[in-house]
Amino acid sequence: MKRARNFNAGPAALPLEVLQRAQNEWLNIEDSGMSVMELSHRSSEFEKIHNHAIQSLKDLMEIPENYEVLLLQGGASLQFSMIPMNILKDGKRADYVLTGSWSEKALKEAKKVGETAVVASSKDEQYTFIPKVEDIKLNDDAAYLHITSNNTIYGTQWKDFPETGNNIPLVADMSSDILSKKIDISKFGIIYAGAQKNLGPSGITVVIIRKDLITDNDKIPSMMNYSIHSKNNSLYNTPPTLAIYLLSLVLDWAKEQGGVEKIAEINEEKAKVIYDAIDGSDGFYKGHALPDSRSLMNVTFTLPSKEAEVQFLKEVKQAGFVGLNGHRSIGGCRASIYNAVPLSHCQDLADFMKKFQESYKATEAQTL
């Protein structure tokens, strides 16, 4: 079978090696005589898988001892509510930086819980850039500062993170760029990420949280309470066992690639190939994001006309590329080049873009 060149924004491409290993273990995991989906989540076999996934993430991201890793459900969208419910105390305000649709949604949910404030935004400029760190003015009574580290829809990404100190935790939605580059975990109070872009399949959400932010509060519903999940090693209720198993395999694969630093090198090379095709097109392709805010995970661009975009998307699909339509809210085109997308697929896309430009211009010239 010929594998698709998959540029979907999420659920996204998984490493071929991971899928092959899962296939080999499909009917008999850990010599149990069962598939992972049939294991009890209280069994020793699954406990081994579960704890291996958590430890692997700690190793890869160099997570300090004063942080806990939780494996939760509900997607990153549930964290929009869980975070303020757990750490937005009375008399405090939650500060938000708006850089796209997902940060808007996070703010919307926080407003239902308590006081909020927008301390920086690029909305008026169609989210084409990330606000400068020095332009963020935190409130003295801020409970936390929330950012979205990478914006899948608009193709922008934070290059540097605000320094907030321990008293104002920095909270980051890293759903679309976690494990794509090395970061200093100690700068953050909470990092959360849906797995379905860089970590595995949909159905599991990783939360990396500083332990002092996990406090007992019996007014919070149990499933929304970090303390409950922490005390139960993320096994308070039946977890998505298959998703956690695949998460553990993806993390093993990441180690085999050389870890986060090596993955980051490859990601930079992949992005450069496609951005070079855009920048070298004499304006035929136009990137949405300003150059200093460009994402290494989601390359967003437009063509000279709607007709050209329709033709491009038709032909690129016929050529075996998948998932290049821009988000429905803004249109255009988008190549999501997460960790599992091979460099060769990015090179193939860049080659296609150059050939399409030549053929489209030639066709236009003939009709004049």
Side-chain angles (χ1 to χ4, degrees):
M1 186 189 77
K2 186 176 181 181
R3 293 274 292 165
R5 286 170 288 193
N6 185 355
F7 292 91
N8 274 316
L14 286 167
L16 177 60
E17 298 92 331
V18 166
L19 296 173
Q20 289 171 332
R21 180 177 168 186
Q23 183 182 46
N24 290 336
E25 297 177 344
W26 194 245
L27 297 178
N28 186 19
I29 186 72
E30 294 288 328
D31 202 28
S32 65
M34 295 176 283
S35 76
V36 69
M37 293 178 290
E38 299 173 286
L39 292 178
S40 165
H41 66 291
R42 306 294 182 190
S43 67
S44 60
E45 292 92 347
F46 182 73
E47 184 180 23
K48 181 180 177 182
I49 293 167
H50 181 87
N51 291 336
H52 176 70
I54 291 173
Q55 188 59 51
S56 293
L57 193 68
K58 289 180 177 179
D59 294 342
L60 280 163
M61 296 188 68
E62 298 178 1
I63 298 173
E65 288 297 318
N66 63 322
Y67 286 76
E68 185 143 356
V69 174
L70 304 176
L71 303 180
L72 306 180
Q73 300 174 58
S77 295
L78 186 61
Q79 295 306 307
F80 298 165
S81 300
M82 281 186 74
I83 288 162
M85 289 177 72
N86 280 268
I87 67 173
L88 178 52
K89 309 300 182 184
D90 291 341
K92 295 280 190 176
R93 290 197 298 183
D95 287 352
Y96 280 73
V97 179
L98 298 186
T99 53
S101 297
W102 295 110
S103 54
E104 286 183 5
K105 290 181 179 181
L107 174 64
K108 179 182 178 181
E109 298 306 310
K111 284 181 176 180
K112 299 174 183 177
V113 178
E115 293 293 321
T116 63
V118 175
V119 293
S121 175
S122 56
K123 185 174 184 176
D124 289 345
E125 301 298 327
Q126 289 74 54
Y127 291 131
T128 54
F129 67 93
I130 298 294
K132 295 183 184 299
V133 169
E134 56 267 26
D135 292 338
I136 299 172
K137 306 302 180 185
L138 292 175
N139 291 300
D140 293 335
D141 63 348
Y144 60 88
L145 173 66
H146 181 283
I147 65 171
T148 304
S149 61
N150 184 80
N151 301 280
T152 56
I153 294 176
Y154 297 95
T156 60
Q157 185 177 27
W158 290 75
K159 308 304 179 184
D160 301 299
F161 297 112
E163 298 279 355
T164 61
N166 286 337
N167 292 332
I168 302 178
L170 178 60
V171 176
D173 177 356
M174 291 192 177
S175 292
S176 54
D177 66 349
I178 193 170
L179 213 68
S180 69
K181 61 180 181 179
K182 191 171 182 178
I183 61 170
D184 182 357
I185 301 293
S186 66
K187 288 186 175 183
F188 299 86
I190 300 175
I191 293 170
Y192 64 98
Q196 65 274 13
K197 301 175 189 292
N198 272 334
L199 296 178
S202 58
I204 189 73
T205 304
V206 169
V207 175
I208 303 167
I209 181 169
R210 213 172 63 212
K211 290 180 179 179
D212 64 286
L213 297 175
I214 303 174
T215 58
D216 290 320
N217 186 340
D218 58 10
K219 294 182 179 180
I220 301 175
S222 296
M223 285 299 292
M224 305 287 282
N225 194 325
Y226 288 136
S227 179
I228 295 290
H229 292 292
S230 172
K231 290 174 181 176
N232 289 275
N233 190 30
S234 302
L235 295 168
Y236 174 70
N237 67 318
T238 305
T241 53
L242 177 61
I244 292 172
Y245 162 68
L246 288 168
L247 167 66
S248 74
L249 297 192
V250 170
L251 296 175
D252 285 346
W253 171 84
K255 289 181 180 179
E256 292 165 3
Q257 304 313 300
V260 178
E261 288 186 356
K262 184 60 179 178
I263 287 173
E265 290 178 15
I266 298 171
N267 284 336
E268 288 181 7
E269 191 174 357
K270 292 189 306 190
K272 185 178 186 302
V273 166
I274 302 176
Y275 283 123
D276 282 352
I278 293 172
D279 294 340
S281 70
D282 294 324
F284 185 81
Y285 299 105
K286 183 179 180 181
H288 176 80
L290 297 182
D292 62 354
S293 294
R294 282 175 167 175
S295 170
L296 299 182
M297 295 285 96
N298 308 95
V299 181
T300 53
F301 59 95
T302 57
L303 279 75
S305 65
K306 184 64 177 177
E307 292 74 21
E309 284 178 10
V310 170
Q311 188 64 25
F312 174 85
L313 290 169
K314 177 183 176 182
E315 292 188 19
V316 79
K317 184 176 181 179
Q318 291 172 343
F321 296 87
V322 176
L324 284 158
N325 294 67
H327 191 270
R328 60 187 179 276
S329 63
I330 66 169
C333 304
R334 172 177 57 181
S336 296
I337 51 176
Y338 303 124
N339 290 352
V341 176
L343 172 61
S344 62
H345 289 191
C346 297
Q347 292 168 330
D348 291 344
L349 177 59
D351 290 342
F352 178 90
M353 291 169 68
K354 293 170 186 174
K355 291 176 182 176
F356 178 84
Q357 179 181 353
E358 293 170 1
S359 64
Y360 191 85
K361 284 188 171 182
T363 303
E364 270 195 328
Q366 292 174 2
T367 60
L368 294 177

